[in-house]
Amino acid sequence: MSSTDSFQSSESLANLRESAASGSVEAMTQLLNQTLAHKQIETEVWSEEDELHVYLQGERAPDEKSSVMLCCREMTQWHLPGARFLLISGQEKGARESSWCWQLSFLESDGQMPTLHQAANGELWRRPKLEKTSWEPNSPPDDLWEPQSIEPEGWKAIAVGIALALLILASQQVTFLLSPVITLVHELGHTLTNWIFGYPAIPAFDFMHGGGFTFNVERMPFLMGLMYCGFGYLFYVYWQNYLTARVLLGVAISYTFCAFTGIHEFFVIAMGHGFELVFGGIFLARAMSGYACRYSVERPLYAMLAAYVISYDIQFSWRLIFDQTTRAIYNQGKAGIDHDLVRIAQDVWNVDLSLVASVMLLATLLTPFVVWGMHRYWRWIVYGINRLFSLRVARS
């Protein structure tokens, strides 16, 4: 863009803000549409006496906090003299009611409700009780049970991401440059699992032999005590909810059983590759849904990372199953230490390495389908979690 075009653009923006300050609803709508264009959100604005109403609508319900914050940041540039209150709501296209609604004050300080400047700074702290936008726990919305489909933008992002990932894997040099990402995620999986079961651990790169490794020391009872303190706190908070208390009790018993048997060693070893699949699934979910993606380029990048991680693990496990040379090199270990799948095959399952590699291949192939299923029934999952941890059901 030339300096002349840039000057004309800034001048046009200044003119629109001047029109908005004078009360032009059309200018307000155009400015907010420009602000939220990257989120594919359409805006409708109207005023009633001293109230300004802003209605946001998208293919899915607009993200509450970021949408309100972006709108308020733009409105702080208008300096509206006659407006006292702002009512901003968001709704999915085709829905009968708003998904959320905020009531804000244009005043610099207001003890009754959050102000425009607080919202612009991301300091939303109080939502008004509006009958039309509040959900009763026992009365889920009619469209809750309708499965979600992947929108066209999601399919395009996934297609572009897969193409980019295949191009990366086709070049050994580029694959080598991105391999530290796999190594970092892998070692973080070992590290996190070690800490959960009471073993302090630190991930590190192995610059001598390649790849990475995780330093860990003997179990510290203090860390185990912290885990049980966490369970105790959750029991204290949700003890009146009989269902939640039983779920927490089951999790605590399962954790104890794993922690004081050899099962936790399997998790510590397996969660290196397991964490790779978890991160690949998270990246794929972001590409499918576009959740928290501010710019359109983010979704193909998430899809590329997901496809790269999943394809990398498919290629890795496939070679361990069918390539004898790769399997022989992997069996040799590194610096006298066996690799993860060898340890699982020999020390845990007592089976051939190719069988463990087959299980990993199956888990890797299932990852996209699991993510797709969670995306399709995400509303069910969120509703179930909300019912589990938000309701306070007294014991009978």
Side-chain angles (χ1 to χ4, degrees), residues 90-148:
Q91 179 178 336
E92 183 179 356
K93 287 184 177 179
R96 293 180 299 177
E97 296 180 352
S98 300
S99 300
W100 49 264
C101 182
W102 284 89
Q103 185 174 3
L104 307 171
S105 171
F106 279 96
L107 302 176
E108 290 293 334
S109 60
D110 192 319
Q112 301 299 321
M113 66 179 64
T115 66
L116 184 73
H117 290 280
Q118 287 175 327
N121 294 328
E123 300 172 3
L124 299 176
W125 53 273
R126 178 177 177 272
R127 186 189 305 176
K129 295 181 179 180
L130 300 178
E131 294 181 359
K132 291 185 178 181
T133 59
S134 59
W135 286 2
E136 293 295 330
N138 294 324
S139 302
D142 295 336
D143 61 347
L144 173 67
W145 311 116
E146 181 180 348
Q148 295 185 114

Side-chain angles (χ1 to χ4, degrees), residues 205-227:
F205 288 104
D206 187 350
F207 296 104
M208 181 175 295
H209 302 94
F213 52 90
T214 301
F215 293 104
N216 64 340
V217 297
E218 293 297 324
R219 173 179 281 173
M220 295 180 61
F222 172 74
L223 296 178
M224 298 289 292
L226 289 179
M227 292 294 299

Side-chain angles (χ1 to χ4, degrees), residues 11-52:
E11 185 179 26
S12 175
L13 182 62
N15 291 336
L16 282 174
R17 285 175 173 169
E18 184 178 354
S19 299
S22 63
S24 173
V25 173
E26 292 76 15
M28 297 179 190
T29 303
Q30 186 173 347
L31 285 167
L32 293 180
N33 280 332
Q34 292 177 4
T35 301
L36 300 173
H38 64 281
K39 289 184 171 292
Q40 292 86 43
I41 296 175
E42 299 175 0
T43 308
E44 183 179 350
V45 181
W46 71 92
S47 60
E48 294 179 2
E49 299 179 354
D50 59 349
E51 293 181 349
L52 182 66

